[in-house]
Each structure stands twice: as C-alpha cells, then as structure tokens.
Amino acid sequence: MGQARQAALLAKDASRPMGLLSEEQRNRILEVMADALRMHSSAICAANAQDMEAARAKGTKESLLDRLYLDEARVEAMAQGLESLAALPDPTGRVLERRTLPNGIELSRVTVPLGVVAMVYEARPNVTADAAGICLKSGNACVLRGGSLAIHSCVTIAHVMHDAAVDAGAPRNCITIIESTDREETGELLSLRGLVDVLIPRGGAGLIERCVREAQVPVIETGTGNCHVYVEKTADFDMARAIVMNAKTQRTGVCNACESLLVDAGIKDQFLPLMLADLAGAGVVIHGDQEARAAVTSSCALDEEARSLVASHFVDATEEDWGTEYLDLEISVRSIRGGVQEAIDHINRYGTHHSEVVVTQDASVAEAFCRGVDAAAVYVNASSRFTDGGEFGLGAEIGISTQKLHVRGPFALEALTTYKYVMRGEGQVRP
C-alpha cells in the first residue's frame, strides 16, 4: 500500500469524529496548534534551512526561493493565521434554509464538513499550516502532499501541528502528510475515489493541469495568475504608476502579481516612458511591443541615462509572452488602440481568469471593464495584490479558485463545507 492510500485511510477514519467536535473544541485545537508552531519555531526554521540549501543547489530562481523561505517572523505569521481562523464564525451547522412542507414536515438545509480534503501544493511550506487550519476549523480531516523542494519544512510543520491537535482533543490522524517525494504518490492520491472527498491543487500550471487531467476525485482548481493592468487614457498617471509597481514588484512569485501591462495608445507616448523607466529601475525585464519601444526611443521625458536603462531591460515581445505567468521580475507590455473593448478581448483571450485591473477616471470604462472581463476578481484603480483571503476578510485561504463551480476567487472555510437536508416530522408517511 502506498503512502497516499494509507494517509487517506487514516484521515477517513479521523474525519467522522472530527466532524462531531464542537466549535469550542475546534477553536481550542487551533489555538494550541498556534502555540506549538511558536514553541517549535527553531526546529521548523532548521528544517527549512535544509530545503533552502537543496533548492539553491538546484539553481532555483529567487522568486521561488522567497516562497520557500521561512524565518521566525513567517512562522509567527502562520501561528497568527491559525488564531485568526479560531476567531472566525463556525462555517458548520449554519441553517441555510428552513421551511415547512405542505405535509407538515419541517425541512432544514444545514452546512456540514466535506470529510477528507487532500491538498497538493509546491514550494510554499506556509500552505501546510493554512490548509490544516482551514480543514480542522471546518470540521474536516486533511491529507497534505507538499512539494519536494519544501519536504523537510512541510513534514516538520505537519507533525508539530498534528501532535498539538491530538493533545488538544482532536482525533489522531486528523492531519496526515505524505512524506515520500515519489511522483507516483500524487498519482495514487488522485485516484482515491471514495476516500478523498475533494482535492485541491495549489502551484504551477503543470501541477494543476496534471491534477485536473488525472483526478478521479472532485477537484477545486486553483488557478495560475496571468494578471493584467490596463491603463486607460483618462487614468491618473501617478496612480497608475504606483499601482503597476505594487502589482509587479511588491512580491513577484505570487499568483496575484501583475504579469502584463496594457496601455491605451492615446497616452503611450506620455505614460510609457515614465512607467518603463520605473520598471527598469526596479530590475524588471520588459517584453514590449514595437509601439512601447518607439515611445521610449522618441521620448523627451527621459534623459539619455534613463533611456539607456530601459533599453538594457527591453526585449521584443512574442505571441507567447501575452500568455506567460513569469513569477519573476518580468512583464509584457502592449499598446491598446481599440479602447476598453480591445483590452477586454485581450485579457479574456490571454488571461487566466484570476485578477484584472483597470486604471481609469471614466466611470463608463470602469463599468464596461467590470462587466466584460471574465475573472474571479476585477479591480478599478487598485492593485491586483489584494486578491487574498486575509485581505478579503475571509481569514487564511486555501487557494484562489479560477473556476466557476462550487467556489470562485479566494476560498477558505465556507468552500470546505457542503450541506445536508434535515427533516423533522410527526409520523408522516408518504401516501
């Protein structure tokens, strides 16, 4: 028997008593888990140092190393995330509907846990704490499958939380983790229909595509983020520059970072030289179209040093660039001649339905963009970096869903529940 099946069997047994714990018991478990993370912070960081050393030896790029890295402050953030979950309302036992049928039976529709939630993720060890916390808060057991780059970190975090949860009254194996890095274990996990109630992949396009393609269990697809900022001709330039810089450079290796800049052709000569100089100054490689290159070359707003800096960071964009999620200090730049509708069409063709931004002072443009763009989150005059469960007031998130069934956008507690009908009668029988 593979580790995946064994972990799922153990989690299945734990899921039933886990779903029967009271809200107070589950909150107490989360609080004890948070304390345990703090208590074992040094051991967690030591395990992470092993992962970081191995990742650097493999030539892993800096943006992914940032995702992988843990220090005491990041462990503290994980602990605080668990405490924030404990403070949120219980997503289970909520009565969504109550009515009396013509035969006198009282019908209620009540939220209940899903059961066993499997999480497959890559080099983000903090996801171990988020996923386990969200699952336990919503009354579920979980099976964790962390990526090989973060295996020592993930295993250490999972064991610390599991032992603390059991000490606080949770059923044993409410948190299980697959410790083998063999890719076949992921394949087995995807096949465990009847043991795994839902599987959630979180990572790059390759991981997500494999899970969607091979899974025999229900999947909530978390999406890659080819996110755009469209600067419309009425935009405030200072606002637009600040939004683009934040969306692109505040943290590059995340799915809600800006990967593509679209600029109205009517303002490209005035706006693009300044914007591209900002980006180049931050070390961003610019994959631009010919109009972007020409706007910089002919600009009077830049001195020779600034033009040279932009030129050194500029490469000609290809068709592939419009659909690329760089997850690094790189961005594609395109001039838009057909106004907001062309921007919408471009985004809907090349985007990943994650987070899209328009910067404009025209209310009709904002409305058209919000109605026309097919994405989980659409912003007017704000950075795409806010697409996050914590920022949306949902607490720690388990991912960003770009699909349309069951859940969309940042999802957390409510997405890990389903419902059942409870019928209360007084002896009614069907004639």
Side-chain angles (χ1 to χ4, degrees):
M1 181 188 300
Q3 284 191 25
R5 179 173 291 275
Q6 184 177 16
L9 284 167
L10 293 171
K12 191 70 172 180
D13 287 342
S15 67
R16 299 180 180 92
M18 188 70 221
L20 297 177
L21 295 179
S22 68
E23 178 184 8
E24 292 75 17
Q25 288 174 307
R26 282 178 275 133
N27 288 342
R28 174 60 181 160
I29 289 166
L30 292 173
E31 291 164 355
V32 171
M33 286 166 53
D35 289 340
L37 288 177
R38 293 187 179 101
M39 187 181 305
H40 294 88
S41 179
S42 295
I44 293 168
C45 291
N48 182 252
Q50 290 182 265
D51 292 328
M52 290 292 292
E53 181 179 1
R56 288 194 180 98
K58 293 179 180 179
T60 305
K61 61 184 181 179
E62 285 299 321
S63 59
L64 292 182
L65 289 175
D66 176 62
R67 287 186 172 197
L68 175 61
Y69 177 66
L70 292 178
D71 57 15
E72 289 192 2
R74 290 190 175 185
V75 174
E76 174 61 26
M78 289 192 292
Q80 290 180 10
L82 294 176
E83 290 171 338
S84 296
L85 281 170
L88 291 174
D90 186 1
T92 69
R94 293 188 302 116
V95 178
L96 303 177
E97 177 186 9
R98 179 181 285 127
R99 54 193 168 90
T100 301
L101 302 179
N103 59 17
I105 293 176
E106 183 185 83
L107 175 150
S108 299
R109 187 159 57 96
V110 183
T111 58
V112 295
L114 288 170
V116 175
V117 177
M119 184 79 183
V120 181
Y121 53 103
E122 294 179 323
R124 295 189 69 169
N126 63 298
V127 173
T128 306
D130 289 347
I134 291 168
C135 287
L136 268 58
K137 171 71 178 186
S138 53
N140 297 289
C142 63
V143 179
L144 304 174
R145 171 58 161 162
S148 58
L149 275 181
I151 191 63
H152 296 97
S153 308
C154 295
V155 168
T156 301
I157 293 167
H159 286 173
V160 166
M161 292 191 302
H162 173 267
D163 293 347
V166 172
D167 287 345
R172 186 166 296 279
N173 302 312
C174 58
I175 301 169
T176 60
I177 185 164
I178 300 167
E179 299 187 22
S180 170
T181 58
D182 189 338
R183 283 174 55 85
E184 293 303 315
E185 294 293 345
T186 300
E188 182 174 53
L189 186 62
L190 296 172
S191 73
L192 297 179
R193 185 176 179 86
L195 291 179
V196 172
D197 292 290
V198 67
L199 182 138
I200 302 167
R202 182 169 175 178
L207 171 68
I208 295 169
E209 288 169 5
R210 181 192 180 190
C211 290
V212 171
R213 182 178 64 252
E214 297 182 13
Q216 298 176 41
V217 300
V219 174
I220 299 177
E221 181 179 350
T222 60
T224 54
N226 182 25
C227 305
H228 299 73
V229 175
Y230 169 48
V231 182
E232 193 264 340
K233 63 184 178 182
T234 66
D236 178 287
F237 283 11
D238 289 339
M239 176 191 293
R241 289 166 68 183
I243 287 172
V244 172
M245 290 301 291
N246 178 262
K248 177 67 264 182
T249 68
Q250 194 260 346
R251 195 172 180 190
T252 58
V254 290
C255 60
N256 59 15
C258 171
E259 305 288 19
S260 187
L261 171 62
L262 308 178
V263 178
D264 192 285
I267 59 170
K268 66 179 177 61
D269 292 333
Q270 297 79 36
F271 176 74
L272 269 179
L274 300 172
M275 185 73 256
L276 298 189
D278 290 344
L279 290 166
V284 178
V285 176
I286 300 158
H287 300 256
D289 64 8
Q290 290 305 307
E291 294 194 52
R293 182 185 288 277
V296 173
T297 302
S298 62
S299 172
C300 298
L302 301 181
D303 58 25
E304 189 58 37
E305 182 179 356
R307 273 196 295 271
S308 177
L309 177 65
V310 174
S312 69
H313 286 75
F314 197 103
V315 295
D316 291 331
T318 66
E319 178 69 19
E320 183 181 2
D321 283 308
W322 308 135
T324 297
E325 182 189 29
Y326 298 106
L327 297 174
D328 208 341
L329 286 171
E330 298 185 66
I331 193 170
S332 63
V333 180
R334 182 175 182 178
S335 178
I336 297 294
R337 290 192 167 276
V340 65
Q341 189 56 55
E342 182 182 336
I344 292 168
D345 292 343
H346 178 96
I347 290 168
N348 287 343
R349 177 179 178 183
Y350 295 104
T352 53
H353 314 295
H354 194 295
S355 301
E356 307 294 354
V357 177
V358 61
V359 185
T360 182
Q361 299 300 312
D362 187 328
S364 64
V365 168
E367 179 64 19
F369 190 88
C370 291
R371 288 174 60 88
V373 167
D374 182 10
V378 182
Y379 294 84
V380 178
N381 297 332
S383 171
S384 58
R385 286 286 290 115
F386 289 104
T387 306
D388 174 85
E391 295 291 340
F392 280 20
L394 303 175
E397 70 180 34
I398 204 165
I400 309 290
S401 171
T402 55
Q403 65 187 42
K404 298 180 181 179
L405 292 179
H406 183 64
V407 63
R408 198 178 197 196
F411 67 97
L413 295 175
E414 291 186 6
L416 296 189
T417 64
T418 182
Y419 58 81
K420 64 182 176 184
Y421 289 97
V422 177
M423 318 290 285
R424 290 183 173 85
E426 297 177 335
Q428 289 92 334
V429 295
R430 185 168 178 173

